[in-house]
Structures are given as C-alpha cells and as structure tokens.
Amino acid sequence: MSLKKFKESIILYSSGTIVSRLSSFLLVPLYTHILSVEEYGLLSTLLISSQLLITIIDFGVMPSIIRMTP
C-alpha cells in the first residue's frame, strides 16, 4: 500500500467518524425537544446497543481482512 493511498484512507475513515459524532452531538437538542423522557431513554438504549453490537461484529472484520489481503 502506498503512502498516498494510506493517507486517503485515513482521511476518509476519520471524516466519517467525525461527521457521525458531530451529527449525533447536534441532534441531542432536537431529540430532547421532540421526544418525551421515556422515548428519549428508549432511543438512547437502542443507540448504545447498536454501538455495542457494531463493536462486537467489528472484532472479526480486521483479522479476516488481514488474512484475505494478498
């Protein structure tokens, strides 16, 4: 992998992470204004559960990519 391709990959990955976290931060006032306390609690629980599932699923992705890369 060339250094240029590596830099592009880092920029793409980090920008996706930054946009995701920024959007979730900016949506909190909207959620608290529109949703009731119970609905916001349910949404928060679902978001945390999905993040945990993504983390667990992601554990197997990196070893498989490394193993399958020629």
Side-chain angles (χ1 to χ4, degrees), residues 24-43:
S24 64
F25 178 73
L26 292 176
L27 286 173
V28 168
L30 181 68
Y31 290 152
T32 56
H33 180 71
I34 293 175
L35 301 174
S36 68
V37 174
E38 293 84 18
E39 292 171 335
Y40 184 74
L42 179 62
L43 175 66

Side-chain angles (χ1 to χ4, degrees), residues 48-67:
I48 290 171
S49 300
S50 68
Q51 287 297 321
L52 287 173
L53 283 173
I54 289 170
T55 303
I56 292 169
I57 292 169
D58 197 29
F59 277 134
V61 172
M62 187 55 72
S64 64
I65 289 174
I66 292 172
R67 186 173 57 171

